[in-house]
Amino acid sequence: MSGERILDGFLEEQPRRSHRSHRSLAKIVREAYPIGVPAMIMKSSTDRLGTSAGYSFHLGTPDEILRRVASWLITEAGDDQRTLWKLIPFLWKRHGREDVALSALLLANLDHERGGIDPWVVLASSINSREPAEALLLSIEEALRGGHDVPSDKLLKSWCDGRLVESHLALISAFAAINAGREIGSDVINLLVMVKVPDGDSLLGRIRDRVAARIP
């Protein structure tokens, strides 16, 4: 039996009441992540990529499995997505690699207009004080693929004045916006090129250099 069919069977067994609690859903998705992942691959991914990348775990769950889980969550939520909006920061706090990826999918695909919610504000308030650049980039790219507008210049400026991790979020968001052909104000770029990048973080360093190249 394929991993997808096993996953579908597992999800179908979950009680309907679990969708009223973000903690219950967090437990369910944690149990779903390893389905279809060979044990040796899962252990290798956890050992090599978990702690070193700043994640609490990394099981190697394929993207198609995570998308299937996200689809199930959204479908079962129906018109009331409040529990899923609570799930997003909870997943960031638990901070498995799969948690971060699943939260990115939810953030990109939940109906933010119905809830009167700005997904970028949710993302900024959910991230921890230290985050891998890859984790931030994952959420930003997924949100843009989901059709969301890039963060406003005003929001980018506020992130530059906030926590260090928020300035990194601003830097990566601006980089993604530029790659998408969007204009970023010169005053914002002047702030972004001053963002402190951790020593040895080549990804953030390259991104800052690319953003700096936009200065006239």
Side-chain angles (χ1 to χ4, degrees):
M1 185 180 294
S2 68
E4 288 84 357
R5 291 184 63 184
I6 296 173
L7 175 65
D8 289 345
F10 169 77
L11 296 176
E12 288 172 2
E13 293 173 354
Q14 303 310 312
R16 188 71 186 86
R17 65 179 180 276
S18 62
H19 294 274
R20 297 196 294 267
S21 167
H22 67 281
R23 293 179 183 275
S24 294
L25 290 178
K27 182 179 179 181
I28 290 170
V29 300
R30 178 61 181 83
E31 293 177 12
Y33 293 153
I35 294 177
V37 182
M40 290 301 295
I41 293 177
M42 183 168 60
K43 184 179 187 303
S44 176
S45 296
T46 301
D47 291 346
R48 290 184 295 104
L49 302 173
T51 304
S52 63
Y55 297 115
S56 59
F57 59 83
H58 185 157
L59 306 177
T61 306
D63 182 67
E64 58 268 23
I65 293 292
L66 292 174
R67 291 185 181 278
R68 212 173 187 94
V69 172
S71 177
W72 173 75
L73 288 169
I74 294 171
T75 299
E76 292 298 319
D79 292 335
D80 187 357
Q81 299 180 339
R82 288 175 295 179
T83 300
L84 297 186
W85 285 113
K86 292 179 181 178
L87 179 61
I88 290 173
F90 191 89
L91 293 176
W92 274 99
K93 183 177 181 180
R94 190 168 65 182
H95 213 256
R97 172 59 174 73
E98 285 75 13
D99 288 334
V100 170
L102 180 59
S103 70
L105 291 169
L106 293 175
L107 189 73
N109 292 288
L110 290 178
D111 189 345
H112 66 283
E113 292 184 352
R114 179 190 292 270
I117 295 171
D118 185 337
W120 297 113
V121 173
V122 172
L123 177 59
S125 64
S126 297
I127 58 179
N128 300 291
S129 58
R130 296 181 64 182
E131 291 290 354
E134 181 264 352
L136 301 178
L137 184 60
L138 181 67
S139 284
I140 293 165
E141 289 183 336
E142 196 63 51
L144 295 180
R145 276 195 293 268
H148 293 287
D149 289 332
V150 298
S152 66
D153 282 6
K154 180 179 179 180
L155 189 55
L156 292 174
K157 288 180 182 179
S158 71
W159 287 347
C160 288
D161 291 334
R163 297 178 295 163
L164 180 60
V165 70
E166 290 173 352
S167 68
H168 294 163
L169 180 63
L171 184 61
I172 299 172
S173 296
F175 171 73
I178 291 169
N179 283 347
R182 313 293 176 83
E183 289 295 326
I184 301 294
S186 58
D187 53 340
V188 178
I189 292 178
N190 288 333
L191 289 174
L192 292 172
V193 297
M194 301 301 293
V195 169
K196 294 181 180 179
V197 174
D199 293 337
D201 195 323
S202 58
L203 176 57
L204 275 176
R206 290 196 303 271
I207 288 175
R208 187 177 60 184
D209 291 344
R210 291 284 298 276
V211 172
R214 303 287 295 190
I215 297 177

